[in-house]
Structures are given as structure tokens and as C-alpha cells.
mmCIF file of all heavy atoms in Angstrom:
data_model
loop_
_atom_site.group_PDB
_atom_site.id
_atom_site.type_symbol
_atom_site.label_atom_id
_atom_site.label_comp_id
_atom_site.label_asym_id
_atom_site.label_seq_id
_atom_site.Cartn_x
_atom_site.Cartn_y
_atom_site.Cartn_z
ATOM 1 N N GLY R 1 -21.837 -32.549 -4.998
ATOM 2 C CA GLY R 1 -20.474 -32.015 -5.018
ATOM 3 C C GLY R 1 -19.937 -31.750 -6.407
ATOM 4 O O GLY R 1 -18.838 -32.177 -6.740
ATOM 5 N N ILE R 2 -20.680 -31.052 -7.246
ATOM 6 C CA ILE R 2 -20.273 -30.768 -8.625
ATOM 7 C C ILE R 2 -19.446 -29.488 -8.663
ATOM 8 O O ILE R 2 -19.902 -28.429 -8.228
ATOM 9 C CB ILE R 2 -21.506 -30.627 -9.532
ATOM 10 C CG1 ILE R 2 -22.325 -31.917 -9.513
ATOM 11 C CG2 ILE R 2 -21.086 -30.266 -10.948
ATOM 12 C CD1 ILE R 2 -23.663 -31.783 -10.192
ATOM 13 N N LEU R 3 -18.237 -29.583 -9.216
ATOM 14 C CA LEU R 3 -17.407 -28.390 -9.376
ATOM 15 C C LEU R 3 -18.134 -27.388 -10.266
ATOM 16 O O LEU R 3 -18.748 -27.749 -11.264
ATOM 17 C CB LEU R 3 -16.065 -28.741 -10.001
ATOM 18 C CG LEU R 3 -15.111 -29.586 -9.166
ATOM 19 C CD1 LEU R 3 -13.817 -29.834 -9.933
ATOM 20 C CD2 LEU R 3 -14.815 -28.929 -7.839
ATOM 21 N N GLY R 4 -18.047 -26.111 -9.896
ATOM 22 C CA GLY R 4 -18.674 -25.055 -10.676
ATOM 23 C C GLY R 4 -20.146 -24.880 -10.404
ATOM 24 O O GLY R 4 -20.779 -23.995 -10.964
ATOM 25 N N GLU R 5 -20.710 -25.730 -9.552
ATOM 26 C CA GLU R 5 -22.135 -25.624 -9.223
ATOM 27 C C GLU R 5 -22.313 -25.622 -7.707
ATOM 28 O O GLU R 5 -22.580 -24.589 -7.109
ATOM 29 C CB GLU R 5 -22.925 -26.771 -9.851
ATOM 30 C CG GLU R 5 -24.411 -26.681 -9.601
ATOM 31 C CD GLU R 5 -25.179 -27.848 -10.182
ATOM 32 O OE1 GLU R 5 -24.801 -28.389 -11.238
ATOM 33 O OE2 GLU R 5 -26.184 -28.228 -9.560
ATOM 34 N N THR R 6 -22.169 -26.763 -7.074
ATOM 35 C CA THR R 6 -22.300 -26.820 -5.615
ATOM 36 C C THR R 6 -20.966 -26.581 -4.919
ATOM 37 O O THR R 6 -20.932 -26.354 -3.714
ATOM 38 C CB THR R 6 -22.893 -28.167 -5.162
ATOM 39 O OG1 THR R 6 -22.055 -29.230 -5.652
ATOM 40 C CG2 THR R 6 -24.307 -28.343 -5.688
ATOM 41 N N LEU R 7 -19.885 -26.643 -5.672
ATOM 42 C CA LEU R 7 -18.526 -26.339 -5.188
ATOM 43 C C LEU R 7 -17.881 -25.377 -6.181
ATOM 44 O O LEU R 7 -18.246 -25.362 -7.360
ATOM 45 C CB LEU R 7 -17.667 -27.607 -5.120
ATOM 46 C CG LEU R 7 -18.173 -28.757 -4.264
ATOM 47 C CD1 LEU R 7 -17.348 -30.009 -4.535
ATOM 48 C CD2 LEU R 7 -18.107 -28.378 -2.799
ATOM 49 N N ASP R 8 -16.905 -24.590 -5.724
ATOM 50 C CA ASP R 8 -16.176 -23.731 -6.662
ATOM 51 C C ASP R 8 -15.486 -24.576 -7.719
ATOM 52 O O ASP R 8 -14.969 -25.667 -7.435
ATOM 53 C CB ASP R 8 -15.162 -22.860 -5.919
ATOM 54 C CG ASP R 8 -15.814 -21.656 -5.267
ATOM 55 O OD1 ASP R 8 -16.897 -21.235 -5.713
ATOM 56 O OD2 ASP R 8 -15.232 -21.126 -4.296
ATOM 57 N N GLY R 9 -15.474 -24.070 -8.950
ATOM 58 C CA GLY R 9 -14.962 -24.810 -10.091
ATOM 59 C C GLY R 9 -13.554 -24.442 -10.515
ATOM 60 O O GLY R 9 -12.767 -23.894 -9.742
ATOM 61 N N CYS R 10 -13.271 -24.700 -11.769
ATOM 62 C CA CYS R 10 -11.908 -24.662 -12.319
ATOM 63 C C CYS R 10 -11.524 -23.342 -12.980
ATOM 64 O O CYS R 10 -10.425 -23.237 -13.513
ATOM 65 C CB CYS R 10 -11.757 -25.783 -13.341
ATOM 66 S SG CYS R 10 -12.085 -27.418 -12.674
ATOM 67 N N MET R 11 -12.397 -22.332 -12.981
ATOM 68 C CA MET R 11 -12.056 -21.063 -13.607
ATOM 69 C C MET R 11 -11.331 -20.181 -12.600
ATOM 70 O O MET R 11 -11.750 -19.082 -12.240
ATOM 71 C CB MET R 11 -13.307 -20.372 -14.158
ATOM 72 C CG MET R 11 -12.991 -19.174 -15.047
ATOM 73 S SD MET R 11 -11.841 -19.515 -16.380
ATOM 74 C CE MET R 11 -12.923 -20.110 -17.633
ATOM 75 N N ALA R 12 -10.212 -20.716 -12.136
ATOM 76 C CA ALA R 12 -9.353 -20.046 -11.158
ATOM 77 C C ALA R 12 -7.922 -20.445 -11.479
ATOM 78 O O ALA R 12 -7.692 -21.474 -12.127
ATOM 79 C CB ALA R 12 -9.719 -20.488 -9.738
ATOM 80 N N GLU R 13 -6.991 -19.640 -11.026
ATOM 81 C CA GLU R 13 -5.606 -20.035 -11.236
ATOM 82 C C GLU R 13 -5.269 -21.295 -10.439
ATOM 83 O O GLU R 13 -4.543 -22.157 -10.912
ATOM 84 C CB GLU R 13 -4.667 -18.890 -10.859
ATOM 85 C CG GLU R 13 -4.755 -17.715 -11.828
ATOM 86 C CD GLU R 13 -3.806 -16.602 -11.468
ATOM 87 O OE1 GLU R 13 -4.143 -15.794 -10.583
ATOM 88 O OE2 GLU R 13 -2.701 -16.572 -12.077
ATOM 89 N N TYR R 14 -5.831 -21.382 -9.223
ATOM 90 C CA TYR R 14 -5.575 -22.522 -8.332
ATOM 91 C C TYR R 14 -6.861 -22.924 -7.632
ATOM 92 O O TYR R 14 -7.726 -22.090 -7.377
ATOM 93 C CB TYR R 14 -4.544 -22.158 -7.256
ATOM 94 C CG TYR R 14 -3.197 -21.783 -7.781
ATOM 95 C CD1 TYR R 14 -2.894 -20.458 -8.104
ATOM 96 C CD2 TYR R 14 -2.210 -22.745 -7.968
ATOM 97 C CE1 TYR R 14 -1.651 -20.105 -8.592
ATOM 98 C CE2 TYR R 14 -0.952 -22.399 -8.449
ATOM 99 C CZ TYR R 14 -0.689 -21.078 -8.762
ATOM 100 O OH TYR R 14 0.540 -20.740 -9.245
ATOM 101 N N SER R 15 -6.962 -24.200 -7.294
ATOM 102 C CA SER R 15 -8.059 -24.708 -6.472
ATOM 103 C C SER R 15 -7.498 -25.715 -5.482
ATOM 104 O O SER R 15 -6.503 -26.382 -5.764
ATOM 105 C CB SER R 15 -9.112 -25.435 -7.313
ATOM 106 O OG SER R 15 -9.776 -24.577 -8.185
ATOM 107 N N VAL R 16 -8.164 -25.844 -4.357
ATOM 108 C CA VAL R 16 -7.870 -26.914 -3.414
ATOM 109 C C VAL R 16 -9.018 -27.900 -3.493
ATOM 110 O O VAL R 16 -10.187 -27.517 -3.386
ATOM 111 C CB VAL R 16 -7.695 -26.380 -1.977
ATOM 112 C CG1 VAL R 16 -7.713 -27.507 -0.968
ATOM 113 C CG2 VAL R 16 -6.394 -25.598 -1.870
ATOM 114 N N LEU R 17 -8.677 -29.164 -3.728
ATOM 115 C CA LEU R 17 -9.681 -30.214 -3.896
ATOM 116 C C LEU R 17 -9.306 -31.437 -3.088
ATOM 117 O O LEU R 17 -8.124 -31.691 -2.836
ATOM 118 C CB LEU R 17 -9.767 -30.627 -5.371
ATOM 119 C CG LEU R 17 -10.174 -29.564 -6.368
ATOM 120 C CD1 LEU R 17 -9.922 -30.049 -7.783
ATOM 121 C CD2 LEU R 17 -11.625 -29.221 -6.186
ATOM 122 N N SER R 18 -10.317 -32.211 -2.751
ATOM 123 C CA SER R 18 -10.084 -33.525 -2.162
ATOM 124 C C SER R 18 -9.310 -34.379 -3.164
ATOM 125 O O SER R 18 -9.522 -34.259 -4.384
ATOM 126 C CB SER R 18 -11.420 -34.189 -1.844
ATOM 127 O OG SER R 18 -11.251 -35.568 -1.624
ATOM 128 N N THR R 19 -8.473 -35.246 -2.671
ATOM 129 C CA THR R 19 -7.737 -36.142 -3.576
ATOM 130 C C THR R 19 -8.691 -37.026 -4.375
ATOM 131 O O THR R 19 -8.348 -37.487 -5.458
ATOM 132 C CB THR R 19 -6.765 -37.024 -2.789
ATOM 133 O OG1 THR R 19 -7.497 -37.792 -1.825
ATOM 134 C CG2 THR R 19 -5.700 -36.193 -2.086
ATOM 135 N N LYS R 20 -9.900 -37.227 -3.867
ATOM 136 C CA LYS R 20 -10.879 -38.075 -4.551
ATOM 137 C C LYS R 20 -11.577 -37.351 -5.693
ATOM 138 O O LYS R 20 -12.312 -37.974 -6.463
ATOM 139 C CB LYS R 20 -11.916 -38.582 -3.545
ATOM 140 C CG LYS R 20 -11.300 -39.474 -2.501
ATOM 141 C CD LYS R 20 -12.299 -39.852 -1.444
ATOM 142 C CE LYS R 20 -11.584 -40.695 -0.399
ATOM 143 N NZ LYS R 20 -12.177 -40.640 0.895
ATOM 144 N N ALA R 21 -11.384 -36.052 -5.817
ATOM 145 C CA ALA R 21 -12.038 -35.257 -6.860
ATOM 146 C C ALA R 21 -11.195 -35.154 -8.130
ATOM 147 O O ALA R 21 -11.533 -34.401 -9.035
ATOM 148 C CB ALA R 21 -12.349 -33.862 -6.329
ATOM 149 N N LEU R 22 -10.100 -35.903 -8.181
ATOM 150 C CA LEU R 22 -9.165 -35.821 -9.302
ATOM 151 C C LEU R 22 -8.824 -37.210 -9.827
ATOM 152 O O LEU R 22 -8.896 -38.194 -9.095
ATOM 153 C CB LEU R 22 -7.860 -35.150 -8.853
ATOM 154 C CG LEU R 22 -7.978 -33.742 -8.300
ATOM 155 C CD1 LEU R 22 -6.692 -33.350 -7.597
ATOM 156 C CD2 LEU R 22 -8.313 -32.770 -9.422
ATOM 157 N N THR R 23 -8.418 -37.240 -11.072
ATOM 158 C CA THR R 23 -7.872 -38.457 -11.657
ATOM 159 C C THR R 23 -6.709 -38.058 -12.560
ATOM 160 O O THR R 23 -6.576 -36.889 -12.931
ATOM 161 C CB THR R 23 -8.955 -39.249 -12.430
ATOM 162 O OG1 THR R 23 -8.459 -40.549 -12.738
ATOM 163 C CG2 THR R 23 -9.400 -38.522 -13.687
ATOM 164 N N ARG R 24 -5.869 -39.021 -12.888
ATOM 165 C CA ARG R 24 -4.694 -38.725 -13.718
ATOM 166 C C ARG R 24 -5.107 -38.437 -15.159
ATOM 167 O O ARG R 24 -6.044 -39.034 -15.688
ATOM 168 C CB ARG R 24 -3.725 -39.898 -13.698
ATOM 169 C CG ARG R 24 -3.125 -40.128 -12.343
ATOM 170 C CD ARG R 24 -2.032 -41.178 -12.347
ATOM 171 N NE ARG R 24 -1.704 -41.535 -10.977
ATOM 172 C CZ ARG R 24 -1.013 -40.790 -10.127
ATOM 173 N NH1 ARG R 24 -0.554 -39.629 -10.525
ATOM 174 N NH2 ARG R 24 -0.776 -41.194 -8.898
ATOM 175 N N ILE R 25 -4.374 -37.536 -15.780
ATOM 176 C CA ILE R 25 -4.566 -37.264 -17.201
ATOM 177 C C ILE R 25 -4.040 -38.470 -17.977
ATOM 178 O O ILE R 25 -2.960 -38.970 -17.685
ATOM 179 C CB ILE R 25 -3.815 -35.972 -17.612
ATOM 180 C CG1 ILE R 25 -4.498 -34.755 -16.974
ATOM 181 C CG2 ILE R 25 -3.743 -35.835 -19.124
ATOM 182 C CD1 ILE R 25 -3.787 -33.445 -17.246
ATOM 183 N N PRO R 26 -4.806 -38.957 -18.961
ATOM 184 C CA PRO R 26 -4.312 -40.086 -19.758
ATOM 185 C C PRO R 26 -2.981 -39.747 -20.441
ATOM 186 O O PRO R 26 -2.771 -38.615 -20.891
ATOM 187 C CB PRO R 26 -5.409 -40.297 -20.804
ATOM 188 C CG PRO R 26 -6.636 -39.692 -20.213
ATOM 189 C CD PRO R 26 -6.146 -38.540 -19.366
ATOM 190 N N ARG R 27 -2.097 -40.721 -20.491
ATOM 191 C CA ARG R 27 -0.777 -40.543 -21.107
ATOM 192 C C ARG R 27 -0.938 -40.045 -22.544
ATOM 193 O O ARG R 27 -1.759 -40.555 -23.301
ATOM 194 C CB ARG R 27 -0.021 -41.872 -21.093
ATOM 195 C CG ARG R 27 1.403 -41.731 -21.623
ATOM 196 C CD ARG R 27 2.202 -42.986 -21.415
ATOM 197 N NE ARG R 27 2.468 -43.062 -19.974
ATOM 198 C CZ ARG R 27 2.468 -44.187 -19.285
ATOM 199 N NH1 ARG R 27 2.206 -45.331 -19.865
ATOM 200 N NH2 ARG R 27 2.725 -44.180 -17.995
ATOM 201 N N GLY R 28 -0.182 -39.018 -22.897
ATOM 202 C CA GLY R 28 -0.189 -38.477 -24.250
ATOM 203 C C GLY R 28 -1.199 -37.359 -24.488
ATOM 204 O O GLY R 28 -1.201 -36.762 -25.554
ATOM 205 N N PHE R 29 -2.050 -37.077 -23.497
ATOM 206 C CA PHE R 29 -3.041 -36.013 -23.649
ATOM 207 C C PHE R 29 -2.461 -34.681 -23.186
ATOM 208 O O PHE R 29 -1.769 -34.619 -22.169
ATOM 209 C CB PHE R 29 -4.290 -36.307 -22.813
ATOM 210 C CG PHE R 29 -5.275 -37.231 -23.466
ATOM 211 C CD1 PHE R 29 -4.925 -38.520 -23.814
ATOM 212 C CD2 PHE R 29 -6.569 -36.800 -23.724
ATOM 213 C CE1 PHE R 29 -5.834 -39.376 -24.398
ATOM 214 C CE2 PHE R 29 -7.491 -37.658 -24.312
ATOM 215 C CZ PHE R 29 -7.119 -38.953 -24.657
ATOM 216 N N SER R 30 -2.766 -33.609 -23.909
ATOM 217 C CA SER R 30 -2.394 -32.263 -23.475
ATOM 218 C C SER R 30 -3.380 -31.836 -22.389
ATOM 219 O O SER R 30 -4.426 -32.460 -22.192
ATOM 220 C CB SER R 30 -2.464 -31.285 -24.649
ATOM 221 O OG SER R 30 -3.824 -31.099 -25.034
ATOM 222 N N TYR R 31 -3.073 -30.740 -21.705
ATOM 223 C CA TYR R 31 -4.014 -30.208 -20.719
ATOM 224 C C TYR R 31 -5.343 -29.845 -21.392
ATOM 225 O O TYR R 31 -6.410 -30.116 -20.855
ATOM 226 C CB TYR R 31 -3.444 -28.978 -20.016
ATOM 227 C CG TYR R 31 -2.326 -29.291 -19.047
ATOM 228 C CD1 TYR R 31 -1.043 -28.808 -19.258
ATOM 229 C CD2 TYR R 31 -2.553 -30.056 -17.910
ATOM 230 C CE1 TYR R 31 -0.019 -29.078 -18.355
ATOM 231 C CE2 TYR R 31 -1.541 -30.335 -17.003
ATOM 232 C CZ TYR R 31 -0.270 -29.850 -17.240
ATOM 233 O OH TYR R 31 0.729 -30.128 -16.349
ATOM 234 N N ALA R 32 -5.272 -29.223 -22.564
ATOM 235 C CA ALA R 32 -6.498 -28.823 -23.271
ATOM 236 C C ALA R 32 -7.335 -30.046 -23.636
ATOM 237 O O ALA R 32 -8.562 -30.031 -23.493
ATOM 238 C CB ALA R 32 -6.154 -28.012 -24.513
ATOM 239 N N GLU R 33 -6.699 -31.100 -24.108
ATOM 240 C CA GLU R 33 -7.444 -32.311 -24.451
ATOM 241 C C GLU R 33 -8.054 -32.952 -23.206
ATOM 242 O O GLU R 33 -9.221 -33.354 -23.211
ATOM 243 C CB GLU R 33 -6.523 -33.304 -25.159
ATOM 244 C CG GLU R 33 -6.083 -32.839 -26.533
ATOM 245 C CD GLU R 33 -4.926 -33.639 -27.100
ATOM 246 O OE1 GLU R 33 -4.127 -34.216 -26.322
ATOM 247 O OE2 GLU R 33 -4.810 -33.688 -28.343
ATOM 248 N N ALA R 34 -7.278 -33.046 -22.147
ATOM 249 C CA ALA R 34 -7.762 -33.685 -20.915
ATOM 250 C C ALA R 34 -8.922 -32.913 -20.295
ATOM 251 O O ALA R 34 -9.822 -33.510 -19.705
ATOM 252 C CB ALA R 34 -6.620 -33.824 -19.917
ATOM 253 N N ALA R 35 -8.927 -31.594 -20.448
ATOM 254 C CA ALA R 35 -9.996 -30.778 -19.861
ATOM 255 C C ALA R 35 -11.351 -31.037 -20.510
ATOM 256 O O ALA R 35 -12.376 -30.689 -19.945
ATOM 257 C CB ALA R 35 -9.643 -29.291 -19.966
ATOM 258 N N THR R 36 -11.375 -31.670 -21.673
ATOM 259 C CA THR R 36 -12.650 -31.971 -22.332
ATOM 260 C C THR R 36 -13.239 -33.305 -21.890
ATOM 261 O O THR R 36 -14.371 -33.627 -22.257
ATOM 262 C CB THR R 36 -12.492 -32.013 -23.864
ATOM 263 O OG1 THR R 36 -11.695 -33.151 -24.229
ATOM 264 C CG2 THR R 36 -11.867 -30.736 -24.398
#
């Protein structure tokens, strides 16, 4: 279940994902930093 490989990934304006496929961005991180 890898995004961008066996599942559609993040190069879209929007995605629908299982709640288990996400985690919170650490406090103080920008979106660009968190994406790395």
C-alpha cells in the first residue's frame, strides 16, 4: 500500500486516504518541511 506506487500518490490537488495512512505534522513544521 505505498502511495505513488501501489496506490495513487500525493501529486494531486486532493486525495482520499484511510485515516491510518496519515499522521500529524510535527508542531512548528511548514508543509514543505513536513513533506520531506
Side-chain angles (χ1 to χ4, degrees):
I2 300 170
L3 293 180
E5 183 182 327
T6 57
L7 303 169
D8 280 337
C10 302
M11 191 53 86
E13 291 181 278
Y14 298 90
S15 294
V16 167
L17 299 168
S18 164
T19 59
K20 296 174 183 154
L22 301 166
T23 192
R24 294 187 192 286
I25 291 176
R27 184 171 288 142
F29 277 61
S30 69
Y31 288 116
E33 292 166 334
T36 68

